[in-house]
Amino acid sequence: MRLPLARFFLQRSLTFQVLSLVVICAGTVAALLLVLAGETGQFDPDPNSVALVAGSMGLLVLALAFVIPLVLRPLSRLTDVVTAVAARRDFAIRADESHAREVRQLAAAFNQLLVQIEQRDHSLARELTEKSEAQQRLAQLAHFDPVTGLHNRHYFNQSVERTLGGHPNTQPLAVMFVDLDDFKQVNDSLGHATGDALLREVARRLAGSLRKTDVVCRLGGDEFALILPLADGMVEASAVAAKLLAALSMPVRIADHEMFIGASIGVALASAGEMDQGELLRRADVAMYEAKAAGKGIYRIFEDQMTVRASRRAGMTQRLRAAIEADSLRLAYQPQVDLRDGRVLRVEALLRWHDEELGSVSPIEFIRLAEETGSIHALGQWVLDRACRDAHAMGERLGRPMPVAVNISMRQLCDPGFADLVDDTLARYQLTGHILELEVTESSLLADWDDIEETLARLRASGVQLAVDDFGSGFSSLRSLRRLPVQRLKIDSGFVANVPSDPADTAIVCAILGLARQLKLGVVAEGVETQAQLELLRELGCEAGQGYLFQRPMTLDALVVHLLESVGPADALA
């Protein structure tokens, strides 16, 4: 029982263990001295004394053998833990705290230090991870477009600058500027989510049509730029541009909407060291606008004379906006007549612009420019207001109302506030809705009309009529034609011009008239210029016509005089 009891006390206190060792050693030494000195103080070994000393030394050795491991073993284990932590840098290791009080305190302090180091290590690792992820996100934002995943404008500029700064003998470089045709119409009618999905599909088609060494970037909006090292300059660039147009011309299915989205492409060629990236992209941009002006859905390669035309476009854009603000545009009016008796049914408002510097500008040119630059809403609002004001004035002078047809852009119709604009304008000039007819081009029928049904319903409720202009010149959706509140079709003048001499165009006119009868729609033949055309149209059952044979476009005053001289105030309108 004594040994376990002593061991118990020795395990409880390192101080007790050390003191015990000191006492044993001191006692042993004292006994040895007494034995050696003897009672006389002289060294005279005695067997019994020697035995006593030997026994005492034996006890001392046994005591040391028992006590020292108890003291050193916890310290050794603590040393092993410290060594393991340092070697493996694993701060989750912990020291054993079940030893004597002083060693236990030392182990606990060491474990607390490990806890703090481990927490700091985890915190530092988390900070490093977050910093790395943030750097990756910044790199992604700096070089990639978030919508399509393509490279962005910043990366494009760096790539072109790096390529153009190479050796002068480097192979030619082509930059292609790709701009989607009528993309804003998709955003306006179907929403930005559909627009983003369309952009991603365009990005996929562009990337799928090029080599891995080519670079495809989204500059912003519906604009894309391509960097292509070429072996055969213009010939190869033309082939690639044609391939891209073919890929983008295929129908796109997004959710429940099937749509056609084309593109116009401008191409600029350069060799390394020839020009900077800004000039190269500007040339591609100029060539792209040439493609837009030539009818869209095509590509153009930059030529020096394009710069002159681009300068004219920029100047025209500024002058057109100024003309709208200064109210310096004007409207001309051309009657639409009943082909049976010549009565005037309505008049079409035709926009005219004469600029002091540019001279007379074709409506085809400046209206397309207004659509591309976003001025079409202000321009359309001006035309609607002026046409309604003139309709009120004509009614006052003729003694009865005169219906007016106004051309509108599909972008205007997609504007959620367009119906309010029409109602407010009619109310301003005290006109009823049946006085106004809105003309949209046939290509507008390809749009998805679901998102503008409310606008159409409100216009129909107001009595406003809808006509399809230039019918037969595009690829209209007959299903849309059946669904929409259309009252009239206007046969494109290109077909009327060739009847009755061209059997094919005559057959097309007959087909349009037959379609209109089946759908119970009115028909107006545009561009009637000869008596032969008039007679054939009468035979085919066309009810109304418009063209130089009846009257050229004229000012409001001239129109009123013409109507008064022709049929008199009371009968000016059938």
Side-chain angles (χ1 to χ4, degrees), residues 300-349:
R300 287 287 183 266
I301 297 178
F302 177 82
E303 299 174 354
D304 290 337
Q305 59 267 32
M306 291 181 180
T307 301
V308 178
R309 291 193 290 268
S311 179
R312 171 181 166 84
R313 282 175 52 84
M316 185 183 297
T317 299
Q318 297 299 323
R319 299 186 73 82
L320 177 59
R321 289 172 178 166
I324 296 172
E325 294 176 0
D327 197 26
S328 59
L329 302 170
R330 65 183 181 87
L331 292 180
Y333 294 92
Q334 189 174 35
Q336 296 177 8
V337 301
D338 190 318
L339 296 186
R340 294 166 297 183
D341 55 20
R343 292 178 302 159
V344 176
L345 302 175
R346 68 194 63 82
V347 295
E348 179 181 2

Side-chain angles (χ1 to χ4, degrees), residues 153-441:
R153 180 185 290 271
H154 179 66
Y155 183 88
F156 168 84
N157 291 336
Q158 287 183 333
S159 297
V160 177
E161 186 174 2
R162 184 167 54 249
T163 303
L164 292 178
H167 193 274
N169 294 325
T170 301
Q171 65 187 114
L173 175 73
V175 166
M176 295 188 179
F177 195 109
V178 181
D179 187 88
L180 303 185
D181 295 332
D182 303 318
F183 175 75
K184 188 176 186 302
Q185 184 173 311
V186 175
N187 269 347
D188 291 343
S189 60
L190 301 180
H192 288 277
T194 300
D196 288 348
L198 179 58
L199 291 173
R200 285 189 286 271
E201 176 61 19
V202 169
R204 187 189 67 80
R205 294 187 183 188
L206 290 174
S209 301
L210 299 174
R211 303 162 299 184
K212 292 184 179 180
T213 55
D214 300 328
V215 178
V216 185
C217 304
R218 180 184 175 221
L219 301 182
D222 60 342
E223 298 176 344
F224 297 82
L226 286 59
I227 306 173
L228 298 85
L230 302 177
D232 194 14
M234 187 175 298
V235 174
E236 190 176 353
S238 298
V240 173
K243 181 181 179 181
L244 294 175
L245 290 175
L248 296 177
S249 67
M250 302 299 292
V252 178
R253 185 80 182 180
I254 298 177
D256 295 330
H257 305 286
E258 183 176 76
M259 62 193 76
F260 293 85
I261 184 71
S264 300
I265 300 179
V267 184
L269 303 174
S271 297
E274 184 176 315
M275 66 186 73
D276 61 28
Q277 55 87 14
E279 175 62 17
L280 188 57
L281 183 60
R282 187 195 69 81
R283 291 186 177 190
D285 186 40
V286 168
M288 183 275 297
Y289 275 109
E290 285 284 323
K292 291 275 190 187
K296 301 180 180 180
I298 60 176
Y299 73 89
R300 287 287 183 266
I301 297 178
F302 177 82
E303 299 174 354
D304 290 337
Q305 59 267 32
M306 291 181 180
T307 301
V308 178
R309 291 193 290 268
S311 179
R312 171 181 166 84
R313 282 175 52 84
M316 185 183 297
T317 299
Q318 297 299 323
R319 299 186 73 82
L320 177 59
R321 289 172 178 166
I324 296 172
E325 294 176 0
D327 197 26
S328 59
L329 302 170
R330 65 183 181 87
L331 292 180
Y333 294 92
Q334 189 174 35
Q336 296 177 8
V337 301
D338 190 318
L339 296 186
R340 294 166 297 183
D341 55 20
R343 292 178 302 159
V344 176
L345 302 175
R346 68 194 63 82
V347 295
E348 179 181 2
L350 302 171
L351 184 59
R352 298 291 184 262
W353 179 30
H354 183 84
D355 183 81
E356 293 181 359
E357 181 179 317
L358 302 175
S360 294
V361 185
S362 167
I364 296 176
E365 184 178 10
F366 72 77
I367 290 176
R368 180 182 298 161
L369 180 65
E371 289 183 336
E372 293 174 357
T373 58
S375 300
I376 190 63
H377 294 285
L379 185 62
Q381 184 174 346
W382 185 92
V383 172
L384 180 64
D385 183 86
R386 180 58 58 88
C388 289
R389 189 188 75 175
D390 289 352
H392 174 77
M394 281 189 287
E396 292 288 323
R397 295 171 67 177
L398 295 173
R400 59 194 316 172
M402 167 64 72
V404 177
V406 176
N407 291 277
I408 63 169
S409 167
M410 187 61 187
R411 292 187 179 181
Q412 292 176 262
L413 199 57
C414 290
D415 185 347
F418 182 70
D420 290 331
L421 175 65
V422 172
D423 288 342
D424 292 344
T425 305
L426 290 172
R428 185 181 308 118
Y429 296 107
Q430 302 175 352
L431 299 174
T432 58
H434 74 276
I435 291 296
L436 181 63
E437 179 175 275
L438 302 177
E439 295 186 5
V440 296
T441 59

Side-chain angles (χ1 to χ4, degrees), residues 512-567:
I512 294 174
L513 290 170
L515 174 66
R517 280 192 291 269
Q518 292 297 320
L519 296 178
K520 297 181 173 54
L521 300 175
V523 179
V524 178
E526 295 184 288
V528 181
E529 296 184 356
T530 68
Q531 190 65 31
Q533 294 168 352
L534 174 60
E535 292 175 359
L536 178 61
L537 291 170
R538 282 174 175 169
E539 290 178 12
L540 296 176
C542 184
E543 63 184 47
Q546 177 181 346
Y548 288 176
L549 180 65
F550 310 112
Q551 194 66 47
R552 290 177 175 271
M554 63 189 82
T555 64
L556 175 64
D557 291 338
L559 173 64
V560 172
V561 170
H562 169 73
L563 293 175
L564 290 174
E565 291 178 350
S566 300
V567 294

